Amino acid sequence: MKKFVSLGLAVAMAASLTACGGSKPTETTAAAGAAETTAAAAEAETTAAAAEAAGGTFKIGVIGPLTGPAAAYGIAVANGADLAVKEINAAGGINGMMLENKAEDDEHDPEKSVNAYNTLKDWGMQMLVGATTSKPCIAVAAESANDNLFQITPSGSAVECVANDNVFRVCFADPDQGTASAKYIGENKLATKVAIIYDSSTEYSSGIRESFVKEAGNQGIEVVADEAFTADSNTDFSVQLDKAKEAGAELVFLPIYYQEASVILKQAADKEFSPIFFGCDGMDGILTVENFDTSLAEGLMLLTPFSTTEESSKEFTEAYVAAYGVEPNQFAADSYDAVYAIKAAIEKSGVTPDMEVSAICDGMKAAMTEISIDGLTGAGMTWNAAGEPNKAPKAVKIVNGVYEMQ
């Protein structure tokens, strides 16, 4: 099992992170300001020199939506990677080699994600954690393949995200999520009549829906309503909900993102329609939607590999809260595990920071199929050559406003 930074260390780190809004005096004399600047510069030079003497520093880029409607995902990914990097460095690095991370915002936009990738290349990126969401990840994967740069996405779940042999992922692929959801619903006898509401304009939602439908029959599940919407029609779900209700759906499967799900739950409550609602990893974040009545999510279930209520997540959660002021979600856990997978692959492959990016990638690709890590999102996690992880699926239920692992 990996070791966690102590809570005290995490608090100390939090104080040093400007992104966390750490407090400092609002008035400073010019002399004091100059002294602070000089001290900071000297500390940076000392740290850099120490890292170089010990074996150098690997530069890890992170890409995700740090602003915009999907920011809950990207910020969590950036924070999870940041916490893992700081933890590894505090423990002495990787055989004396340090890690440095830098996050860039893609606003959940493929073109901006490619721009972020190029910005990180200019910075000297040698490995990439990202992109966070599927469409941007697909776009960036084409670039990293051309450069033969090692890439591991915490949460890019579309099949195409790992089409190239230099890309791996921590989360389950969309088809795996759909199949696992149908099996979970069937094996736990949650419902036999199920309605689906999905976003036909995204690979993520369509891919999960397709594999769910294929597996539903094997689980004795009747899909009584199968209703789509698009990015241009994601504010009024009256028709979809009416059809699900009229068809007698006992459960509504929502392989969608949490923003639309919050609207669906509100409109379902207005219609006095109260089936079980069941989502996948895109549902994670629904309790953070601004102005959303979280009581409407009571009883909602989602397929997720991580919950803060698990005993095994306690130390990570405490460190994360101390550093960033909010509880982590599965995206933070996925990203944290991604950095630890990088660490294990570096150790296994023997790559060093002075090597060319392509040579580092070749070593990492081979090592990823040989490592096993006990992560936050799965014990004994392994990867195959296609970039897919092997770990057991789990589900949580929202009870009294918090996730409870089932």
mmCIF file of all heavy atoms in Angstrom, residues 207-243:
data_model
loop_
_atom_site.group_PDB
_atom_site.id
_atom_site.type_symbol
_atom_site.label_atom_id
_atom_site.label_comp_id
_atom_site.label_asym_id
_atom_site.label_seq_id
_atom_site.Cartn_x
_atom_site.Cartn_y
_atom_site.Cartn_z
ATOM 1 N N GLY A 207 -21.670 5.775 -25.866
ATOM 2 C CA GLY A 207 -20.927 4.523 -25.720
ATOM 3 C C GLY A 207 -21.396 3.700 -24.528
ATOM 4 O O GLY A 207 -21.540 2.478 -24.616
ATOM 5 N N ILE A 208 -21.639 4.379 -23.414
ATOM 6 C CA ILE A 208 -22.122 3.669 -22.226
ATOM 7 C C ILE A 208 -23.516 3.115 -22.475
ATOM 8 O O ILE A 208 -23.818 1.961 -22.133
ATOM 9 C CB ILE A 208 -22.132 4.600 -20.997
ATOM 10 C CG1 ILE A 208 -20.711 5.036 -20.639
ATOM 11 C CG2 ILE A 208 -22.782 3.897 -19.800
ATOM 12 C CD1 ILE A 208 -20.642 6.026 -19.501
ATOM 13 N N ARG A 209 -24.368 3.913 -23.077
ATOM 14 C CA ARG A 209 -25.750 3.489 -23.345
ATOM 15 C C ARG A 209 -25.769 2.249 -24.232
ATOM 16 O O ARG A 209 -26.509 1.297 -23.989
ATOM 17 C CB ARG A 209 -26.516 4.634 -23.999
ATOM 18 C CG ARG A 209 -27.910 4.275 -24.486
ATOM 19 C CD ARG A 209 -27.884 4.088 -25.998
ATOM 20 N NE ARG A 209 -29.148 3.575 -26.502
ATOM 21 C CZ ARG A 209 -29.272 2.983 -27.666
ATOM 22 N NH1 ARG A 209 -28.216 2.794 -28.452
ATOM 23 N NH2 ARG A 209 -30.448 2.543 -28.065
ATOM 24 N N GLU A 210 -24.932 2.229 -25.267
ATOM 25 C CA GLU A 210 -24.923 1.110 -26.211
ATOM 26 C C GLU A 210 -24.555 -0.204 -25.530
ATOM 27 O O GLU A 210 -25.215 -1.234 -25.732
ATOM 28 C CB GLU A 210 -23.940 1.402 -27.342
ATOM 29 C CG GLU A 210 -23.907 0.315 -28.416
ATOM 30 C CD GLU A 210 -22.966 0.637 -29.555
ATOM 31 O OE1 GLU A 210 -22.414 1.760 -29.576
ATOM 32 O OE2 GLU A 210 -22.777 -0.237 -30.424
ATOM 33 N N SER A 211 -23.509 -0.184 -24.707
ATOM 34 C CA SER A 211 -23.090 -1.419 -24.038
ATOM 35 C C SER A 211 -24.073 -1.817 -22.938
ATOM 36 O O SER A 211 -24.257 -3.012 -22.670
ATOM 37 C CB SER A 211 -21.681 -1.265 -23.463
ATOM 38 O OG SER A 211 -21.613 -0.199 -22.543
ATOM 39 N N PHE A 212 -24.723 -0.843 -22.314
ATOM 40 C CA PHE A 212 -25.745 -1.153 -21.308
ATOM 41 C C PHE A 212 -26.899 -1.921 -21.946
ATOM 42 O O PHE A 212 -27.366 -2.936 -21.414
ATOM 43 C CB PHE A 212 -26.267 0.139 -20.675
ATOM 44 C CG PHE A 212 -27.302 -0.085 -19.599
ATOM 45 C CD1 PHE A 212 -26.933 -0.223 -18.273
ATOM 46 C CD2 PHE A 212 -28.657 -0.149 -19.916
ATOM 47 C CE1 PHE A 212 -27.887 -0.428 -17.279
ATOM 48 C CE2 PHE A 212 -29.620 -0.362 -18.946
ATOM 49 C CZ PHE A 212 -29.229 -0.505 -17.620
ATOM 50 N N VAL A 213 -27.358 -1.433 -23.092
ATOM 51 C CA VAL A 213 -28.475 -2.089 -23.787
ATOM 52 C C VAL A 213 -28.106 -3.517 -24.171
ATOM 53 O O VAL A 213 -28.920 -4.442 -24.043
ATOM 54 C CB VAL A 213 -28.891 -1.271 -25.024
ATOM 55 C CG1 VAL A 213 -29.888 -2.049 -25.879
ATOM 56 C CG2 VAL A 213 -29.486 0.074 -24.609
ATOM 57 N N LYS A 214 -26.875 -3.733 -24.617
ATOM 58 C CA LYS A 214 -26.440 -5.071 -25.019
ATOM 59 C C LYS A 214 -26.452 -6.049 -23.848
ATOM 60 O O LYS A 214 -26.789 -7.219 -24.003
ATOM 61 C CB LYS A 214 -25.033 -4.999 -25.624
ATOM 62 C CG LYS A 214 -24.985 -4.382 -27.015
ATOM 63 C CD LYS A 214 -23.561 -4.376 -27.539
ATOM 64 C CE LYS A 214 -23.496 -3.777 -28.938
ATOM 65 N NZ LYS A 214 -22.098 -3.710 -29.448
ATOM 66 N N GLU A 215 -26.083 -5.559 -22.672
ATOM 67 C CA GLU A 215 -25.986 -6.430 -21.505
ATOM 68 C C GLU A 215 -27.312 -6.569 -20.768
ATOM 69 O O GLU A 215 -27.531 -7.558 -20.043
ATOM 70 C CB GLU A 215 -24.919 -5.898 -20.535
ATOM 71 C CG GLU A 215 -24.706 -6.714 -19.267
ATOM 72 C CD GLU A 215 -24.261 -8.141 -19.531
ATOM 73 O OE1 GLU A 215 -23.613 -8.389 -20.580
ATOM 74 O OE2 GLU A 215 -24.546 -9.016 -18.685
ATOM 75 N N ALA A 216 -28.218 -5.605 -20.943
ATOM 76 C CA ALA A 216 -29.466 -5.590 -20.178
ATOM 77 C C ALA A 216 -30.239 -6.899 -20.304
ATOM 78 O O ALA A 216 -30.730 -7.454 -19.308
ATOM 79 C CB ALA A 216 -30.335 -4.422 -20.620
ATOM 80 N N GLY A 217 -30.362 -7.428 -21.517
ATOM 81 C CA GLY A 217 -31.103 -8.667 -21.726
ATOM 82 C C GLY A 217 -30.519 -9.846 -20.978
ATOM 83 O O GLY A 217 -31.255 -10.714 -20.488
ATOM 84 N N ASN A 218 -29.197 -9.869 -20.860
ATOM 85 C CA ASN A 218 -28.540 -10.950 -20.124
ATOM 86 C C ASN A 218 -28.846 -10.899 -18.635
ATOM 87 O O ASN A 218 -28.696 -11.894 -17.932
ATOM 88 C CB ASN A 218 -27.022 -10.876 -20.320
ATOM 89 C CG ASN A 218 -26.608 -11.060 -21.762
ATOM 90 O OD1 ASN A 218 -27.295 -11.720 -22.535
ATOM 91 N ND2 ASN A 218 -25.487 -10.458 -22.135
ATOM 92 N N GLN A 219 -29.264 -9.725 -18.175
ATOM 93 C CA GLN A 219 -29.531 -9.525 -16.752
ATOM 94 C C GLN A 219 -31.021 -9.513 -16.425
ATOM 95 O O GLN A 219 -31.405 -9.163 -15.313
ATOM 96 C CB GLN A 219 -28.891 -8.202 -16.290
ATOM 97 C CG GLN A 219 -27.385 -8.145 -16.455
ATOM 98 C CD GLN A 219 -26.675 -9.205 -15.627
ATOM 99 O OE1 GLN A 219 -27.085 -9.504 -14.508
ATOM 100 N NE2 GLN A 219 -25.608 -9.777 -16.173
ATOM 101 N N GLY A 220 -31.858 -9.884 -17.380
ATOM 102 C CA GLY A 220 -33.292 -9.874 -17.150
ATOM 103 C C GLY A 220 -33.876 -8.483 -17.034
ATOM 104 O O GLY A 220 -34.927 -8.271 -16.416
ATOM 105 N N ILE A 221 -33.208 -7.522 -17.660
ATOM 106 C CA ILE A 221 -33.663 -6.124 -17.620
ATOM 107 C C ILE A 221 -34.383 -5.791 -18.921
ATOM 108 O O ILE A 221 -33.865 -6.026 -20.020
ATOM 109 C CB ILE A 221 -32.472 -5.167 -17.434
ATOM 110 C CG1 ILE A 221 -31.809 -5.404 -16.076
ATOM 111 C CG2 ILE A 221 -32.919 -3.720 -17.571
ATOM 112 C CD1 ILE A 221 -30.506 -4.642 -15.894
ATOM 113 N N GLU A 222 -35.580 -5.225 -18.789
ATOM 114 C CA GLU A 222 -36.336 -4.743 -19.953
ATOM 115 C C GLU A 222 -36.147 -3.237 -20.051
ATOM 116 O O GLU A 222 -36.451 -2.492 -19.120
ATOM 117 C CB GLU A 222 -37.822 -5.065 -19.801
ATOM 118 C CG GLU A 222 -38.664 -4.567 -20.958
ATOM 119 C CD GLU A 222 -40.153 -4.750 -20.728
ATOM 120 O OE1 GLU A 222 -40.538 -5.267 -19.646
ATOM 121 O OE2 GLU A 222 -40.929 -4.362 -21.619
ATOM 122 N N VAL A 223 -35.622 -2.776 -21.186
ATOM 123 C CA VAL A 223 -35.478 -1.334 -21.416
ATOM 124 C C VAL A 223 -36.814 -0.825 -21.948
ATOM 125 O O VAL A 223 -37.158 -1.034 -23.114
ATOM 126 C CB VAL A 223 -34.345 -1.036 -22.410
ATOM 127 C CG1 VAL A 223 -34.251 0.470 -22.679
ATOM 128 C CG2 VAL A 223 -33.006 -1.554 -21.867
ATOM 129 N N VAL A 224 -37.581 -0.165 -21.075
ATOM 130 C CA VAL A 224 -38.949 0.232 -21.424
ATOM 131 C C VAL A 224 -39.015 1.602 -22.088
ATOM 132 O O VAL A 224 -40.037 1.958 -22.687
ATOM 133 C CB VAL A 224 -39.847 0.210 -20.175
ATOM 134 C CG1 VAL A 224 -39.978 -1.218 -19.643
ATOM 135 C CG2 VAL A 224 -39.324 1.146 -19.088
ATOM 136 N N ALA A 225 -37.947 2.371 -21.992
ATOM 137 C CA ALA A 225 -37.868 3.672 -22.663
ATOM 138 C C ALA A 225 -36.398 3.978 -22.895
ATOM 139 O O ALA A 225 -35.568 3.748 -22.013
ATOM 140 C CB ALA A 225 -38.518 4.767 -21.827
ATOM 141 N N ASP A 226 -36.087 4.486 -24.075
ATOM 142 C CA ASP A 226 -34.700 4.759 -24.449
ATOM 143 C C ASP A 226 -34.689 6.125 -25.134
ATOM 144 O O ASP A 226 -34.886 6.230 -26.350
ATOM 145 C CB ASP A 226 -34.208 3.658 -25.384
ATOM 146 C CG ASP A 226 -32.719 3.733 -25.662
ATOM 147 O OD1 ASP A 226 -32.020 4.505 -24.980
ATOM 148 O OD2 ASP A 226 -32.258 3.018 -26.576
ATOM 149 N N GLU A 227 -34.481 7.185 -24.351
ATOM 150 C CA GLU A 227 -34.705 8.548 -24.823
ATOM 151 C C GLU A 227 -33.409 9.359 -24.856
ATOM 152 O O GLU A 227 -32.648 9.374 -23.891
ATOM 153 C CB GLU A 227 -35.726 9.252 -23.927
ATOM 154 C CG GLU A 227 -37.075 8.554 -23.871
ATOM 155 C CD GLU A 227 -37.743 8.474 -25.238
ATOM 156 O OE1 GLU A 227 -37.712 9.486 -25.962
ATOM 157 O OE2 GLU A 227 -38.256 7.396 -25.582
ATOM 158 N N ALA A 228 -33.192 10.038 -25.980
ATOM 159 C CA ALA A 228 -31.972 10.824 -26.169
ATOM 160 C C ALA A 228 -32.244 12.318 -26.056
ATOM 161 O O ALA A 228 -33.365 12.792 -26.195
ATOM 162 C CB ALA A 228 -31.374 10.512 -27.540
ATOM 163 N N PHE A 229 -31.176 13.048 -25.784
ATOM 164 C CA PHE A 229 -31.170 14.503 -25.921
ATOM 165 C C PHE A 229 -29.810 14.876 -26.493
ATOM 166 O O PHE A 229 -28.937 14.012 -26.682
ATOM 167 C CB PHE A 229 -31.427 15.192 -24.574
ATOM 168 C CG PHE A 229 -30.343 15.006 -23.546
ATOM 169 C CD1 PHE A 229 -29.277 15.884 -23.436
ATOM 170 C CD2 PHE A 229 -30.384 13.917 -22.671
ATOM 171 C CE1 PHE A 229 -28.282 15.707 -22.489
ATOM 172 C CE2 PHE A 229 -29.397 13.726 -21.716
ATOM 173 C CZ PHE A 229 -28.336 14.627 -21.625
ATOM 174 N N THR A 230 -29.596 16.142 -26.809
ATOM 175 C CA THR A 230 -28.315 16.601 -27.331
ATOM 176 C C THR A 230 -27.871 17.833 -26.554
ATOM 177 O O THR A 230 -28.602 18.360 -25.707
ATOM 178 C CB THR A 230 -28.401 16.967 -28.825
ATOM 179 O OG1 THR A 230 -29.221 18.138 -28.971
ATOM 180 C CG2 THR A 230 -28.987 15.824 -29.640
ATOM 181 N N ALA A 231 -26.672 18.291 -26.860
ATOM 182 C CA ALA A 231 -26.147 19.485 -26.194
ATOM 183 C C ALA A 231 -27.009 20.705 -26.476
ATOM 184 O O ALA A 231 -26.974 21.683 -25.728
ATOM 185 C CB ALA A 231 -24.711 19.739 -26.658
ATOM 186 N N ASP A 232 -27.797 20.659 -27.547
ATOM 187 C CA ASP A 232 -28.674 21.782 -27.888
ATOM 188 C C ASP A 232 -30.049 21.671 -27.251
ATOM 189 O O ASP A 232 -30.872 22.577 -27.387
ATOM 190 C CB ASP A 232 -28.833 21.874 -29.410
ATOM 191 C CG ASP A 232 -27.525 22.168 -30.120
ATOM 192 O OD1 ASP A 232 -26.712 22.934 -29.554
ATOM 193 O OD2 ASP A 232 -27.302 21.619 -31.208
ATOM 194 N N SER A 233 -30.313 20.560 -26.571
ATOM 195 C CA SER A 233 -31.639 20.373 -25.962
ATOM 196 C C SER A 233 -31.503 19.751 -24.578
ATOM 197 O O SER A 233 -32.155 18.760 -24.255
ATOM 198 C CB SER A 233 -32.506 19.477 -26.857
ATOM 199 O OG SER A 233 -31.909 18.192 -27.029
ATOM 200 N N ASN A 234 -30.644 20.350 -23.759
ATOM 201 C CA ASN A 234 -30.323 19.737 -22.467
ATOM 202 C C ASN A 234 -30.846 20.539 -21.270
ATOM 203 O O ASN A 234 -30.244 20.506 -20.192
ATOM 204 C CB ASN A 234 -28.809 19.544 -22.332
ATOM 205 C CG ASN A 234 -28.040 20.861 -22.348
ATOM 206 O OD1 ASN A 234 -28.615 21.924 -22.556
ATOM 207 N ND2 ASN A 234 -26.738 20.782 -22.134
ATOM 208 N N THR A 235 -31.964 21.228 -21.469
ATOM 209 C CA THR A 235 -32.543 21.989 -20.359
ATOM 210 C C THR A 235 -33.968 21.567 -20.018
ATOM 211 O O THR A 235 -34.444 21.860 -18.929
ATOM 212 C CB THR A 235 -32.536 23.500 -20.663
ATOM 213 O OG1 THR A 235 -33.259 23.742 -21.872
ATOM 214 C CG2 THR A 235 -31.109 24.011 -20.803
ATOM 215 N N ASP A 236 -34.633 20.898 -20.936
ATOM 216 C CA ASP A 236 -36.012 20.461 -20.685
ATOM 217 C C ASP A 236 -36.128 18.972 -21.009
ATOM 218 O O ASP A 236 -36.010 18.555 -22.159
ATOM 219 C CB ASP A 236 -36.990 21.259 -21.554
ATOM 220 C CG ASP A 236 -38.446 20.924 -21.232
ATOM 221 O OD1 ASP A 236 -38.690 20.023 -20.407
ATOM 222 O OD2 ASP A 236 -39.343 21.576 -21.808
ATOM 223 N N PHE A 237 -36.361 18.180 -19.966
ATOM 224 C CA PHE A 237 -36.423 16.729 -20.121
ATOM 225 C C PHE A 237 -37.828 16.191 -19.869
ATOM 226 O O PHE A 237 -38.002 15.020 -19.524
ATOM 227 C CB PHE A 237 -35.426 16.075 -19.154
ATOM 228 C CG PHE A 237 -33.999 16.492 -19.392
ATOM 229 C CD1 PHE A 237 -33.456 17.552 -18.678
ATOM 230 C CD2 PHE A 237 -33.222 15.855 -20.338
ATOM 231 C CE1 PHE A 237 -32.146 17.947 -18.894
ATOM 232 C CE2 PHE A 237 -31.910 16.245 -20.563
ATOM 233 C CZ PHE A 237 -31.366 17.301 -19.842
ATOM 234 N N SER A 238 -38.816 17.044 -20.070
ATOM 235 C CA SER A 238 -40.204 16.652 -19.789
ATOM 236 C C SER A 238 -40.636 15.452 -20.612
ATOM 237 O O SER A 238 -41.247 14.509 -20.084
ATOM 238 C CB SER A 238 -41.144 17.834 -20.067
ATOM 239 O OG SER A 238 -40.880 18.902 -19.188
ATOM 240 N N VAL A 239 -40.335 15.454 -21.898
ATOM 241 C CA VAL A 239 -40.770 14.365 -22.777
ATOM 242 C C VAL A 239 -40.118 13.052 -22.349
ATOM 243 O O VAL A 239 -40.789 12.012 -22.230
ATOM 244 C CB VAL A 239 -40.423 14.677 -24.253
ATOM 245 C CG1 VAL A 239 -40.704 13.462 -25.128
ATOM 246 C CG2 VAL A 239 -41.219 15.882 -24.739
ATOM 247 N N GLN A 240 -38.821 13.085 -22.104
ATOM 248 C CA GLN A 240 -38.104 11.864 -21.718
ATOM 249 C C GLN A 240 -38.629 11.311 -20.392
ATOM 250 O O GLN A 240 -38.821 10.097 -20.242
ATOM 251 C CB GLN A 240 -36.603 12.156 -21.605
ATOM 252 C CG GLN A 240 -35.932 12.495 -22.935
ATOM 253 C CD GLN A 240 -35.898 13.996 -23.207
ATOM 254 O OE1 GLN A 240 -36.749 14.748 -22.725
ATOM 255 N NE2 GLN A 240 -34.921 14.412 -23.990
ATOM 256 N N LEU A 241 -38.867 12.187 -19.437
ATOM 257 C CA LEU A 241 -39.345 11.749 -18.129
ATOM 258 C C LEU A 241 -40.775 11.222 -18.203
ATOM 259 O O LEU A 241 -41.120 10.229 -17.553
ATOM 260 C CB LEU A 241 -39.252 12.897 -17.123
ATOM 261 C CG LEU A 241 -37.828 13.241 -16.663
ATOM 262 C CD1 LEU A 241 -37.806 14.573 -15.918
ATOM 263 C CD2 LEU A 241 -37.261 12.130 -15.781
ATOM 264 N N ASP A 242 -41.598 11.881 -19.008
ATOM 265 C CA ASP A 242 -42.988 11.418 -19.159
ATOM 266 C C ASP A 242 -43.026 10.013 -19.755
ATOM 267 O O ASP A 242 -43.812 9.152 -19.313
ATOM 268 C CB ASP A 242 -43.781 12.383 -20.041
ATOM 269 C CG ASP A 242 -44.147 13.670 -19.324
ATOM 270 O OD1 ASP A 242 -44.091 13.688 -18.077
ATOM 271 O OD2 ASP A 242 -44.477 14.665 -20.006
ATOM 272 N N LYS A 243 -42.175 9.770 -20.753
ATOM 273 C CA LYS A 243 -42.149 8.445 -21.380
ATOM 274 C C LYS A 243 -41.656 7.377 -20.394
ATOM 275 O O LYS A 243 -42.174 6.258 -20.363
ATOM 276 C CB LYS A 243 -41.281 8.467 -22.637
ATOM 277 C CG LYS A 243 -41.916 9.235 -23.796
ATOM 278 C CD LYS A 243 -41.093 9.107 -25.070
ATOM 279 C CE LYS A 243 -41.793 9.808 -26.237
ATOM 280 N NZ LYS A 243 -41.013 9.706 -27.496
#
